[in-house]
Amino acid sequence: MAVPLLDLAAQYLEVGPGIEAAVLEVLRSGRYVLGPRVAAFERAAAEVCGTPHALGVSSGTDALLLALHALGIGPGDEVVVPTFSFFATAGSVHRVGAQPVFADIDPVTFNLDPASLEARVTTRTRAVIPVHLFGRCADMDDILDVAARHGLRVIEDAAQAIGSEHRGRRAGSMGDVGCFSFFPSKNLGGAGDGGLVSSRDADLHDRMHLLRGHGSRPKYHHVLVGGNFRLDEVQAAVLAVKLPHVDAWSDARARNAAAYRERLADLAADGRVVLPGDAPDGRHVWNQFTIRVPGARDRVASRLHAAGIGTEIYYPGPLHMQPCFADLGGREGDCPQAERACREVLSIPVFPELTGSQIDEVCDALRGAFD
Ligand SMILES: *Cc1c(COP(=O)(O)O)cnc(C)c1O
């Protein structure tokens, strides 16, 4: 591959020695679960999230499950989610026995449209899960306003958005709970699976803490039915080494995004592509640089593939049309903006270590794909 979508090996060159030393220390310590490294990582991560509390968990999916469970959401409850997201946003709602209700997106930001959210609210709606998709914060002012007026809990799906900001507030600090993923392809990626929940509320944090370990307090006395949602010491050690780099990596992603916007301005001007904009009142951390290619996405994607450029379609189908949710009655036309995005989007490489000549290569291949 001439330019991969993501180059974790390039990143490892920078942080590898630190990671190897930290992991070796864990292996030699004999302390593998919920030890000092998880606690230290949680303190450092809480600071990055702008919240007093953070709890390491086993994945971003488990972060969502834990948050829903801790907020008491279950059978009979409805939770509004954007239909244009990774599956876990809706799957976690179903798994706690509640019903996901699918809302449409804003076509410019790809994020939950507050008007569509409001239109989906019923007397059973208990919560909303705005997703900060591709590293850009959702329109939290309007979403929090709708939530306040209807008494909804707000769970931020910040899996793609660590360090992202909306009007000076960090992703994960605006709702009741922030859910993060450390899957290797996220802006902060572990050497495997991991996640985090952030919160401002000490009681809610305590409830999630209990549920993370089978609701046991003291040991073998179970006050709640929880699960095993723990983060490993080895993962915490890896993440703690990488965390201080995340800001600089996000800045590098933003520089790459700016370079694309400059070098692809001609394709955007004649409407062959639509480029993603920066967040005017916040900080976009560019987990993905996702363009639209109206009417020609699949052809352009296969041309790029042939030219050795890594791309991905995030996401090819809206959640309300997934076979597993067929009994909820979702139909084509329910969420036209999301359905259109699924036909047009294409994510191209934006990872921090991307070089100027690689950016040129991607731009040349993209231009060539229209010939
Ligand atoms: C990655 C992701 C998740 C799930 O995180 P995992 O760590 O893979 O379980 C949830 N929501 C969104 C938007 C994601 O991108």
Side-chain angles (χ1 to χ4, degrees), residues 244-297:
H245 296 267
V246 169
D247 250 348
W249 288 335
S250 295
D251 289 344
R253 287 171 179 272
R255 282 196 297 278
N256 295 339
Y260 276 133
R261 279 203 305 277
E262 196 182 302
R263 297 179 206 182
L264 295 172
D266 56 326
L267 291 186
D270 64 20
R272 281 184 285 180
V273 303
V274 180
L275 301 175
D278 209 343
D281 47 8
R283 180 183 187 218
H284 195 324
V285 296
W286 300 100
N287 179 245
Q288 298 298 335
F289 189 87
T290 303
I291 65 172
R292 287 177 187 258
V293 191
R297 193 265 314 272

Side-chain angles (χ1 to χ4, degrees), residues 58-62 64 85-86 88-89 131 133 157 159-160 180-183 186 193-195 287 315:
S58 30
S59 70
T61 302
D62 285 346
L64 289 163
S85 181
F86 179 63
T89 313
V131 180
L133 202 67
D157 184 338
Q160 303 180 5
F180 295 85
S181 165
F182 306 125
F183 185 75
K186 310 296 165 129
D193 282 304
N287 179 245
Y315 297 92

